[in-house]
């Protein structure tokens, strides 16, 4: 619940200006919240110069005071960081510590969501990685029979590849892994909202690449296998309305990239 320390409040009105939903007003030179309108977005907390607004529902330690040296990053540096990011498929047989995993999920937790729903959840797969791999391969083999006659040339290619996954797995389940590349950690981002989960996944992947030694790869095949599949969803213990929106393979890598690469020009419509 939103609350205001009336002793500290000076009635400046900045919280009123910031609140899109009209959940707070100034009365008798003090900010007064309207709980029934509050979406718990926290903008009033962020803008208050007196630090007198809090949400009792969430951890107080989440609040940090803005310090330029700790929070600012130049646009040029951010652009170069994104340009230099590469997909990694060469993972070392080294476990990722749980403290690092929690930090990755922390950046997902602070990613914006529509309506401040905060409806993104995470599945961390380590010890049951091989069982998940088996279920995904079995589902992809099923889908290969569906898409092998597709008019979409990409789906047709995928169908052939998925069939090969199944053949290779039957021959040697612990052999070459062209699906998860023996990544020691599989991180699934789930939500009823594809946009909310995708935004969190993007932030998490940036955090992975900012962590020394770590690399990541998005597995679209795993997402395709899990979508609307009751067997995989039950294994993952997903809430009823949740779907797997992104699958991140995470691990330490020995790949060393030396430069950025080309991209085709952006398609822009100026109006």
């Amino acid at each position: 619940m939103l609350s205001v320390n009336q002793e500290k409040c000076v009635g400046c009105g900045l919280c009123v200006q910031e609140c899109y939903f009209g959940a707070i007003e100034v009365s008798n030179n003090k900010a007064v919240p309207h709980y029934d309108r509050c979406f718990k977005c926290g903008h009033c907390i962020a803008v208050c110069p007196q630090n007198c607004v809090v949400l009792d529902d969430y951890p107080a330690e989440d609040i940090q005071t803005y310090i330029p040296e700790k929070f600012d990053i130049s646009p040029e540096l951010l652009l170069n960081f994104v340009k230099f990011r590469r997909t990694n498929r060469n993972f070392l047989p080294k476990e990722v510590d749980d403290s690092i995993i929690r930090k990755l999920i922390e950046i997902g937790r602070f990613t914006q969501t529509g309506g401040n729903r905060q409806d993104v959840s995470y599945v961390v797969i380590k010890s049951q990685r091989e069982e998940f791999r088996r279920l995904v391969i079995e589902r992809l083999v099923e889908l290969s029979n569906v898409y092998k006659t597709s008019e979409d040339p990409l789906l047709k290619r995928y169908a052939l590849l998925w069939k090969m996954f199944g053949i290779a797995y039957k021959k040697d389940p612990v052999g070459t892994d062209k699906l998860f590349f023996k990544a020691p950690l599989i991180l699934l981002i789930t939500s009823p909202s594809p946009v909310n989960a995708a935004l969190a996944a993007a932030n998490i992947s940036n955090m992975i690449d900012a962590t020394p030694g770590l690399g990541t790869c998005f597995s679209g095949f795993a997402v395709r296998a899990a979508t609307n599949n009751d067997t995989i969803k039950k294994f993952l213990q997903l809430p009823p309305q949740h779907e797997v929106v992104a699958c991140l393979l995470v691990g330490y890598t020995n790949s060393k990239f030396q430069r950025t690469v080309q991209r085709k020009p952006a398609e822009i419509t100026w109006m």
Side-chain angles (χ1 to χ4, degrees):
M1 182 179 292
L2 181 68
S3 62
V4 178
N5 186 322
Q6 297 294 307
E7 292 183 4
K8 294 170 67 177
C9 180
V10 297
C12 67
L14 291 176
C15 55
V16 178
Q17 296 175 31
E18 192 66 30
C19 184
Y20 177 77
F21 298 101
I24 196 164
E25 66 175 350
V26 173
S27 178
N28 296 322
N29 293 320
K30 299 292 181 181
V32 179
H34 295 282
Y35 308 117
D36 58 327
R37 303 177 195 167
C38 180
F39 272 61
K40 302 179 183 179
C41 67
H43 282 353
C44 52
I45 296 172
V47 78
C48 179
Q50 301 300 119
N51 191 24
C52 64
V53 187
V54 295
L55 281 166
D56 297 334
D57 312 64
Y58 303 146
E61 57 267 25
D62 284 349
I63 301 174
Q64 298 182 50
T65 300
Y66 169 73
I67 301 172
E69 298 78 31
K70 291 179 62 176
F71 289 92
D72 287 355
I73 182 172
S74 72
E76 293 78 12
L77 184 59
L78 179 58
L79 177 59
N80 283 338
F81 172 78
V82 172
K83 283 183 176 181
F84 194 67
R85 290 189 62 242
R86 308 300 308 151
T87 292
N88 281 273
R89 297 185 180 90
N90 298 309
F91 296 105
L92 300 173
K94 177 182 177 182
E95 292 295 320
V96 180
D97 191 81
D98 286 354
S99 63
I100 293 177
I101 299 171
R102 290 190 182 94
K103 189 173 289 186
L104 298 179
I105 293 175
E106 185 76 347
I107 198 171
R109 186 168 77 95
F110 277 90
T111 302
Q112 66 270 39
T113 56
N116 194 35
R117 288 185 177 90
Q118 301 183 52
D119 55 356
V120 180
S121 297
Y122 307 89
V123 181
V124 178
I125 303 178
K126 297 173 75 176
S127 62
Q128 298 188 63
R129 174 192 173 283
E130 289 304 319
E131 177 62 13
F132 181 57
R133 177 171 167 250
R134 180 185 68 81
L135 291 173
V136 169
I137 289 176
E138 288 178 354
R139 178 56 178 159
L140 290 177
V141 170
E142 291 177 2
L143 291 174
S144 72
N145 295 321
V146 176
Y147 293 126
K148 64 183 179 182
T149 58
S150 173
E151 295 182 2
D152 185 330
L154 183 59
L155 285 178
K156 208 168 183 178
R157 260 178 84 184
Y158 283 166
L160 179 60
L161 185 61
W162 297 338
K163 184 177 180 180
M164 292 171 61
F165 283 173
I167 294 171
Y169 185 80
K170 280 187 177 180
K171 185 177 180 181
D172 184 5
V174 296
T176 302
D177 181 5
K178 291 291 187 180
L179 177 63
F180 293 146
F181 310 102
K182 297 189 181 293
L185 168 65
I186 300 171
L187 179 59
L188 305 180
I189 298 92
T190 82
S191 176
S193 166
V195 172
N196 290 346
L199 289 171
N203 274 347
I204 290 171
S205 65
N206 281 331
M207 188 69 170
I208 292 169
D209 284 331
T211 303
L214 281 188
T216 186
C217 174
F218 280 92
S219 175
F221 290 166
V223 174
R224 188 179 289 269
T227 300
N228 297 321
N229 184 269
D230 291 338
T231 300
I232 293 179
K233 290 179 69 173
K234 182 178 179 180
F235 170 76
L236 298 174
Q237 303 175 46
L238 296 189
Q241 301 304 317
H242 279 232
E243 291 287 351
V244 176
V245 177
C247 173
L248 288 171
L249 313 179
V250 186
Y252 289 94
T253 175
N254 54 11
S255 296
K256 302 294 182 184
F257 301 110
Q258 304 298 326
R259 58 195 59 83
T260 62
V261 301
Q262 301 107 312
R263 284 287 186 269
K264 68 178 183 180
E267 296 182 9
I268 306 172
T269 301
W270 299 94
M271 301 180 69

